[in-house]
Amino acid sequence: MDFDFQNIVTISVYGSAIALILIGIYAVLIKKHLIKIVIGMSLVDAGLHLLFVAIGYINNGTAPIFSPGYEDAATNMVDPVPQALVLTAIVIGFAVTAVALSLVIRLYKHHGTVRIDEIKSLKW
Amino acid sequence: MNTLALIILIFFSGATLAYLSSLISNKLPGWVALLTTMTGTVLFYMSFQNEQALSFSIIGLNLEWALDNYTILFAHIIFGLGILASLYSVQYMQNKSQQGSFYANFLLSIGSMFGIIISKDFISFFIFWEIMTWSSFLIVVWNGIGFRKNGIWYMAMSAIGAYAMLTAIVLINSEIGTYSLQAFFNAVQENAIDNLMLVSILLLIGFAVKAALMPLHIWAPRAYSNTPASYTSVFSGALSKMGVFGMGLVLIRVFRFSGLQDNFDYALVSQFTSHVLAWLGGITAAIATLYALVQKDAKKLLAYSSIAQLGYIVIGLAIGTKLAVMSALFLAIMHAVFKGALFMAVGAVERQVGTTDMTKISGLIRRMPWTFFVTLVSIIALAGVPPLSGFVGKWMLYEALITNGNFFLVVVVFFSSTAAFLYSYRILFGLFLGQEEDDTAHVKEAPATMVIPMVILALFLIVTGTYPGIVFEPIAHGMEYLGFTDVTWNMTVLSNVWGDSVNLQYVSTTIGVAFMLALIFLTFKGRKGTRGVSTKDISTSGEIPLEHENLTFQLDFFKPFERAAAPLYKRSITKIYEDVANGLEALFDFTRKIYTGNGQTYAIYVVAFLVTLLIVVQNML
Amino acid sequence: MKKFFVIALLAILGFYLTIAFLQIPFGQNRLGQPQDEATVGAYYLNNTKEKSAVSNVVTAIVVNYRGFDTLGEVTVLFLASTGLASILYRRKEEEVERINKPSSSLLQTGSKFLFPLVVLLGIYVFIHGHLTPGGGFQGGAIIATGFLLMLIAYQKYHVSHSMLTWVESLAGVLFVSIGLWGLITGGTFLENSYFPKGVLNSLISGGAIPIIYIAVGFKVAAELTGVLDILLNTKEEKSVPSNQNEK
Amino acid sequence: MIYVYTGAIVLLAMLLVYVALYAIRQKDLLYAVIATGVVSLILSIVFLMLQAPDVALTEAAIGIALTTIAFVITIRNTARYENDNAQSGFNNKKE
């Protein structure tokens, strides 16, 4: 692979997105503090959103909006579908985060701790 | 409408009706069951001469039902015992509750047994087999007590058998593409099945469970002793014969007449399997006899005795010569008759006295003379003593074993049938002979509807003791269906290859006369000079018994023998199964340790699984 | 130990993810020419202008082409706020003052000043959802931040829950009834053919799309405000003695 | 122009990873949460550069403002530092 600009951009965008996902999973799997786990979850979210948008990007493309004066720009627009999906996903992600945080609060009220290894009621 | 389908329909709708009628009155189901069995039986005997085949297809599966001579042989057992047992049952179950579910399952099991033997395809065979298993299981746990002790063993063993059978059926279908039994036999003839031995062994395991063969027998004593006696006679007499039915098909039609005898490997494996089965049958007979000896409960004793008798039958089928198969089928029918009679007799005692514990009962001979007569005849047949039909079967079995060269098996069979004398004497003595007790003085003979079926069975034993040809005829037809040719039999004369022969008419006449003389002598001798004392109070002999301590001679009846055989009783198969179950439980308990209670650990499992999947998909596919 | 295991797992996962995504060239045109309509994205780009008269293609997709998704999404938001309320449920007498210390007057004055502007911005964003970037979700979120400012600045400030419920319900009913009206008149749910299309790039254009996005904006604003209000009103817990904590 | 664009996007991507790592490693959860907000901020800029203004606006409104606030409220209700359990709220100082 020759290192022209295109490849650098490719690697940095995809790489940062994948790195965000992996960091998030790492936090979910290793960190003991429940809030850290929720942070990890939102990082995974962020990485996925970046990945989606990056897939839809086109070099030298424009945003999928027919601004006044540019009504015929359709040939040069980036893919709008991933953007619409991510738009939805961000809002849902907030809802999930909010519910997770409320569960954290609830667990803290119930168990007096936010450390996941001290909450053993999942034992079967 | 086809008669076969009609009979099945009658039994199954009779089961529903029996249950529904119990909602009206608890007395009705017994009569409904009797009526159903009678209708079915009459219908069968009216129409079985003109053979009717039936084939139809449901959801893409072709089901075939038909009668053949081998089937008819077993149908005699099922209907004969079924009708007598349902007649017996009406009075026997008189005051028991929940008769509806009992009779529903009773009829279901009889109907499904008939369904099994008429099935000519594996699908309906398996379905009827499962209906039979479930209905009998529900009767085993019917009284609601001892589910863990008795029912679970039956269910677990039946599940092993059913899974083995299902695997075999699926394998067969994958090889020949159809479920038809006839197609399977044809494929065996043409050597079209690759893993025939595996299939056969799996099928044999499935049948061996019901036939209570040695390592799989442990459910039988528990289940037999826990069912109401009116069903136990069917259970032990007919239902266990379904295993014999299937083993006969596999051992004879697949092993002996497969058309592959020239194939050396195949012949070797099939003969090896047959030998193993014969030995298992021999061991079953010997061990079960030993266990029967030490039972205190008459029903349990009979249960172990059933296992031993089934062992003989399996030996005969596994040896597979013409004479051996004939003796096995003869013993199968005779076992159904005398074991049915014995269970009915013990059930009558249970109903009249309230217990079957032989240490608590004695001297019922004057109170229940008919029951005593039936028991006497049946145990003579069971022990294989000349004038009755048990002797005929044993004679043929010995001859078959000796001519086939299985001398060790002869020793085993001889040993166990000698020991059978001991336990059959014990049951006769324990229940009927000996000192008459005060607390059984009020006991009366069982009602007529209970006595008549028993007496019919006993008379059948006496008649076939002299004229075994009555039974030989259907057996010979059945064996012709299995593939034997030129099956010869004689009405009254047993002859062997060495030129000796026994004329059963002379034998039974002689013994009958001697018996009559002895009876007359004993009747006139009376009871002069004997003084009755309570056997349960032995303070008169100088010992001071503790309160509630039973010291009758019925206890430790075979004490010296028991002491000699004690090491044998130590190793029980039950214990091995329990150890296996406990080991598995410990293993699963250990596996459960992956559930640490930490949610993160579970998440790690998920990710690890995902990564493993990725690696597998990327590198191996 | 566990850490290294997890890092190894993640390394493998990252390796495969990287391999997989390097096969998707970044920045290349995978849509094909819009005239070909080889992909669904190209179809949307090519047809939105004529069929919907909406200049923001993402809006057209979110509200019209994939409008059913959006309905599901606002349902999820509604469920989240309901779930939060039930998880953090508290009886009336347990309610306490939210914040211990009163806010500074700077914050209070600033919030009072900014609140109408923020709300106005939010309304602007979702009214112009079909013309400019943004729309119901963004505008709703902006309005929610405005309410958040007030909630933080004033201890006594309270959002009326019945008002939130009314706004949310009416917006939801509006959305669904427009969709059903499309079903009745046009044959498909959210069929956008019965309102005048208008001229591209003017405020009154795009048929039902601006109306739906306004409804979505109100609904999202009400839901997010409700979520924040519930979270903020949670009683500040002093540590609860629990046997798991005694070490 | 392409150089500036490329340089900016590479820089932002590296910054994204750095801030995310900071958020994970930081023991003070308040800082960690602010860092998560910064991740959203950078992400929003990156979205804008990738010609996705709608997504950028959404991320700005929800990711930066609302999510961060929700985290902060939760921290106020539970514990601020990763290592301690018993103490809650903002008022306790780190030992």
Side-chain angles (χ1 to χ4, degrees):
Chain A
M1 185 183 286
D2 51 336
F3 280 90
D4 56 3
F5 290 121
Q6 189 57 51
N7 283 333
I8 293 171
V9 174
T10 306
I11 289 171
S12 59
V13 171
Y14 283 154
S16 62
I18 291 170
L20 275 182
I21 294 173
L22 294 182
I23 290 169
I25 297 177
Y26 174 81
V28 170
L29 295 187
I30 289 296
K31 292 290 169 182
K32 299 293 178 210
H33 200 287
L34 280 169
I35 292 179
K36 272 284 172 70
I37 290 175
V38 181
I39 288 176
M41 280 161 61
S42 56
L43 285 181
V44 175
D45 248 12
L48 283 171
H49 298 156
L50 180 54
L51 214 49
F52 263 69
V53 172
I55 288 171
Y57 179 68
I58 295 169
N59 279 338
N60 301 320
T62 59
I65 297 172
F66 299 101
S67 307
Y70 294 93
E71 275 96 348
D72 299 323
T75 49
N76 204 24
M77 281 182 178
V78 301
D79 194 348
V81 178
Q83 295 191 14
L85 292 180
V86 171
L87 189 65
T88 315
I90 288 172
V91 181
I92 302 278
F94 171 69
V96 170
T97 309
V99 173
L101 287 174
S102 73
L103 283 173
V104 171
I105 294 172
R106 195 75 206 168
L107 278 172
Y108 183 72
K109 276 183 184 171
H110 195 261
H111 290 280
T113 179
V114 276
R115 290 181 65 82
I116 194 169
D117 52 348
E118 289 171 11
I119 300 168
K120 291 286 186 187
S121 39
L122 274 172
K123 195 170 178 67
W124 175 60
Chain B
M1 189 174 181
N2 189 292
T3 323
L4 298 178
L6 192 61
I7 291 173
I8 298 282
L9 200 68
I10 282 171
F11 274 104
F12 282 20
S13 53
T16 322
L17 204 64
Y19 183 76
L20 291 180
S21 67
S22 76
L23 302 178
I24 301 167
S25 158
N26 207 24
K27 287 198 171 60
L28 275 177
W31 296 105
V32 171
L34 180 59
L35 204 66
T36 310
T37 335
M38 274 168 65
T39 321
T41 312
V42 166
L43 209 59
F44 172 73
Y45 280 104
M46 271 164 52
S47 66
F48 81 94
Q49 299 293 353
N50 33 357
E51 210 174 284
Q52 292 165 307
L54 170 67
S55 69
F56 54 99
S57 82
I58 296 174
I59 52 167
L61 298 166
N62 292 314
L63 305 185
E64 299 165 37
W65 296 351
L67 279 176
D68 56 57
N69 285 328
Y70 187 58
T71 294
I72 289 168
L73 177 65
F74 284 88
H76 287 317
I77 299 179
I78 292 167
F79 286 121
L81 261 184
I83 194 164
L84 292 177
S86 50
L87 177 61
Y88 173 91
S89 191
V90 173
Q91 289 279 333
Y92 176 79
M93 299 294 291
Q94 201 176 22
N95 294 320
K96 304 208 163 128
S97 58
Q98 293 202 343
Q99 293 193 24
S101 56
F102 172 79
Y103 280 110
N105 287 313
F106 184 93
L107 290 174
L108 268 183
S109 75
I110 292 179
S112 58
M113 276 190 267
F114 183 65
I116 287 169
I117 59 174
I118 62 169
S119 293
K120 290 285 172 269
D121 65 288
F122 282 112
I123 290 292
S124 48
F125 189 93
F126 187 76
I127 289 171
F128 282 125
W129 189 271
E130 283 303 294
I131 294 175
M132 177 185 83
T133 304
W134 274 98
S135 54
S136 53
F137 168 73
L138 288 176
I139 293 184
V140 169
V141 298
W142 167 76
N143 56 9
I145 50 170
F147 172 76
R148 285 183 73 96
K149 226 170 65 222
N150 309 310
I152 208 84
W153 283 105
Y154 183 39
M155 208 59 236
M157 288 293 144
S158 295
I160 291 173
Y163 285 132
M165 199 189 288
L166 195 62
T167 315
I169 290 171
V170 170
L171 280 175
I172 290 169
N173 186 49
S174 73
E175 297 263 355
I176 64 175
T178 167
Y179 290 106
S180 165
L181 270 172
Q182 194 55 48
F184 170 59
F185 293 138
N186 290 342
V188 170
Q189 290 281 344
E190 294 153 13
N191 195 11
I193 296 178
D194 288 337
N195 38 19
L196 179 62
M197 288 324 294
L198 176 66
V199 166
S200 313
I201 288 168
L202 284 173
L203 282 175
L204 282 176
I205 289 173
F207 298 133
V209 169
K210 278 288 176 296
L213 201 61
M214 188 56 188
L216 304 169
H217 73 284
I218 50 164
W219 60 271
R222 299 153 206 269
Y224 288 167
S225 60
N226 203 41
T227 43
S230 58
Y231 184 72
T232 321
S233 53
V234 177
F235 201 171
S236 160
L239 199 143
S240 61
K241 299 300 175 301
M242 291 303 109
V244 174
F245 172 82
M247 286 176 111
L249 280 182
V250 175
L251 283 171
I252 308 301
R253 289 212 65 169
V254 177
F255 281 6
R256 191 140 287 270
F257 297 117
S258 65
L260 281 176
Q261 295 304 318
D262 302 334
N263 185 334
F264 180 72
D265 289 339
Y266 176 78
L268 194 72
V269 178
S270 68
Q271 295 207 348
F272 176 75
T273 314
S274 298
H275 267 91
V276 168
L277 265 182
W279 271 100
L280 278 177
I283 294 167
T284 309
I287 303 270
T289 306
L290 286 178
Y291 272 97
L293 277 175
V294 294
Q295 301 302 319
K296 294 186 180 64
D297 186 88
K299 244 174 153 179
K300 266 230 157 96
L301 191 154
L302 289 178
Y304 276 108
S305 149
S306 289
I307 299 170
Q309 299 285 327
L310 285 162
Y312 299 144
I313 298 169
V314 172
I315 293 175
L317 287 175
I319 296 299
T321 60
K322 201 187 290 179
L323 192 64
V325 173
M326 196 165 194
S327 77
L329 293 178
F330 187 81
L331 276 173
I333 291 180
M334 282 309 133
H335 176 246
V337 176
F338 61 67
K339 204 44 68 69
L342 273 174
F343 272 117
M344 284 179 189
V346 170
V349 170
E350 186 190 12
R351 181 180 184 272
Q352 301 303 110
V353 182
T355 177
T356 52
D357 192 336
M358 289 184 287
T359 60
K360 293 189 181 138
I361 312 169
S362 66
L364 287 176
I365 177 166
R366 281 166 208 280
R367 303 280 154 225
M368 306 177 75
W370 286 106
T371 313
F372 167 73
F373 165 72
V374 171
T375 314
L376 180 68
V377 170
S378 305
I379 65 163
I380 289 173
L382 189 154
V385 183
L388 297 186
S389 53
F391 163 72
V392 180
K394 286 274 170 62
W395 169 278
M396 290 195 296
L397 185 61
Y398 285 130
E399 191 192 329
L401 287 175
I402 291 167
T403 50
N404 204 38
N406 300 80
F407 297 110
F408 283 112
L409 269 176
V410 175
V411 175
V412 172
V413 173
F414 187 74
F415 164 75
S416 54
S417 51
T418 318
F421 282 119
L422 296 177
Y423 70 69
S424 35
Y425 179 64
R426 181 174 188 178
I427 193 169
L428 189 71
F429 187 90
L431 294 179
F432 297 103
L433 302 180
Q435 181 82 44
E436 194 177 308
E437 295 287 344
D438 289 340
D439 49 357
T440 54
H442 67 281
V443 171
K444 292 189 181 66
E445 179 58 274
T449 52
M450 288 170 70
V451 172
I452 289 168
M454 298 192 269
V455 173
I456 291 173
L457 288 172
L459 288 177
F460 183 79
L461 286 172
I462 294 173
V463 170
T464 48
T466 316
Y467 302 100
I470 301 170
V471 184
F472 283 146
E473 190 181 352
I475 289 176
H477 290 313
M479 283 171 68
E480 276 159 13
Y481 170 78
L482 285 180
F484 291 98
T485 50
D486 195 22
V487 185
T488 54
W489 52 276
N490 193 301
M491 184 56 94
T492 57
V493 180
L494 290 178
S495 50
N496 62 19
V497 289
W498 304 288
D500 302 326
S501 65
V502 180
N503 190 328
L504 291 168
Q505 269 174 326
Y506 297 154
V507 174
S508 51
T509 315
T510 316
I511 293 180
V513 167
F515 183 76
M516 280 301 180
L517 289 175
L519 197 64
I520 291 162
F521 172 73
L522 286 172
T523 315
F524 284 104
K525 183 175 165 261
R527 285 201 296 164
K528 268 177 273 173
T530 51
R531 189 169 62 93
V533 288
S534 172
T535 51
K536 286 173 187 165
D537 176 13
I538 53 167
S539 56
T540 47
S541 61
E543 286 189 42
I544 304 161
L546 298 169
E547 213 175 347
H548 304 307
E549 195 179 2
N550 187 352
L551 287 172
T552 61
F553 52 85
Q554 297 284 359
L555 220 63
D556 302 330
F557 197 69
F558 288 121
K559 187 148 199 180
F561 171 79
E562 273 177 47
R563 212 176 298 141
L568 273 172
Y569 297 122
K570 267 189 199 159
R571 289 179 195 78
S572 131
I573 298 218
T574 316
K575 198 166 173 328
I576 295 174
Y577 279 112
E578 276 168 356
D579 285 348
V580 169
N582 288 336
L584 280 177
E585 207 172 28
L587 178 71
F588 296 147
D589 230 27
F590 177 75
T591 323
R592 217 170 55 119
K593 286 210 167 60
I594 63 168
Y595 296 102
T596 55
N598 188 344
Q600 270 184 324
T601 321
Y602 302 167
I604 290 176
Y605 296 149
V606 172
V607 174
F609 174 74
L610 189 73
V611 169
T612 320
L613 206 66
L614 260 177
I615 292 173
V616 168
V617 169
Q618 289 287 323
N619 297 335
M620 290 171 199
L621 300 182
Chain C
M1 184 57 218
K2 197 161 108 183
K3 211 169 174 176
F4 290 118
F5 178 65
V6 167
I7 288 173
L9 280 181
L10 291 180
I12 299 168
L13 197 63
F15 173 70
Y16 281 119
L17 276 177
T18 315
I19 284 183
F21 278 101
L22 282 182
Q23 287 166 8
I24 304 173
F26 176 78
Q28 302 301 309
N29 191 347
R30 282 175 299 278
L31 287 173
Q33 287 306 304
Q35 292 77 19
D36 302 342
E37 294 180 1
T39 59
V40 67
Y43 174 84
Y44 292 156
L45 284 179
N46 204 30
N47 287 303
T48 302
K49 207 165 44 173
E50 283 76 27
K51 291 199 172 165
S52 304
V54 168
S55 39
N56 190 342
V57 183
V58 177
T59 297
I61 295 172
V62 167
V63 180
N64 201 309
Y65 292 118
R66 318 290 317 155
F68 215 65
D69 280 3
T70 308
L71 184 61
E73 187 190 356
V74 290
T75 313
V76 168
L77 265 183
F78 170 70
L79 286 177
S81 73
T82 328
L84 264 174
S86 64
I87 290 169
L88 298 176
Y89 170 76
R90 207 159 10 85
R91 276 188 296 277
K92 197 84 181 170
E93 59 267 26
E94 286 178 80
E95 280 190 22
V96 288
E97 290 298 312
R98 300 200 290 271
I99 296 169
N100 305 357
K101 287 179 288 187
S103 318
S104 64
S105 61
L106 188 64
L107 181 59
Q108 291 191 350
T109 315
S111 297
K112 211 182 224 170
F113 175 68
L114 278 175
F115 175 65
L117 293 181
V118 170
V119 172
L120 201 62
L121 174 68
I123 291 173
Y124 173 85
V125 165
F126 65 64
I127 284 181
H128 288 81
H130 56 302
L131 302 176
T132 58
F137 292 106
Q138 294 89 334
I142 289 169
I143 293 174
T145 50
F147 278 102
L148 179 70
L149 269 179
M150 295 303 280
L151 283 166
I152 291 174
Y154 293 93
Q155 285 180 37
K156 303 279 185 224
Y157 189 82
H158 217 279
V159 190
S160 161
H161 273 268
S162 62
M163 196 223 8
L164 287 180
T165 316
W166 272 104
V167 169
E168 196 194 332
S169 308
L170 284 177
V173 166
L174 184 62
F175 189 175
V176 174
S177 49
I178 288 175
L180 287 177
W181 183 249
L183 188 66
I184 294 163
T185 56
T188 53
F189 192 76
L190 277 174
E191 173 75 40
N192 187 13
S193 62
Y194 48 90
F195 281 104
K197 288 279 160 48
V199 184
L200 186 70
N201 274 326
S202 63
L203 191 60
I204 310 296
S205 68
I209 288 175
I211 303 171
I212 295 171
Y213 234 10
I214 288 166
V216 169
F218 276 116
K219 195 167 162 61
V220 169
E223 276 157 354
L224 294 183
T225 310
V227 166
L228 290 170
D229 188 45
I230 293 162
L231 273 175
L232 265 175
N233 273 317
T234 310
K235 184 180 168 189
E236 184 179 337
E237 283 292 319
K238 293 300 169 195
S239 117
V240 180
S242 156
N243 47 4
Q244 289 196 347
N245 210 20
E246 292 168 4
K247 284 198 197 168
Chain D
M1 186 60 203
I2 181 88
Y3 297 103
V4 177
Y5 180 79
T6 309
I9 209 163
V10 171
L11 200 69
L12 284 174
M14 286 162 74
L15 200 61
L16 201 58
V17 176
Y18 174 75
V19 177
L21 279 174
Y22 177 85
I24 291 302
R25 296 178 62 82
Q26 177 57 254
K27 296 288 178 201
D28 188 339
L29 288 169
L30 202 57
Y31 285 31
V33 166
I34 302 294
T36 319
V38 173
V39 168
S40 281
L41 178 65
I42 300 169
L43 207 58
S44 175
I45 298 169
V46 174
F47 284 152
L48 203 58
M49 293 179 73
L50 293 177
Q51 301 297 335
D54 283 275
V55 183
L57 195 55
T58 317
E59 184 73 39
I62 289 177
I64 302 171
L66 295 181
T67 310
T68 312
I69 287 297
F71 272 114
V72 170
I73 294 167
T74 311
I75 290 171
R76 194 191 60 142
N77 279 310
T78 56
R80 176 167 169 180
Y81 296 103
E82 195 176 346
N83 293 331
D84 58 13
N85 299 314
Q87 302 299 315
S88 74
F90 293 141
N91 299 330
N92 58 308
K93 289 283 174 284
K94 193 176 182 182
E95 285 86 359

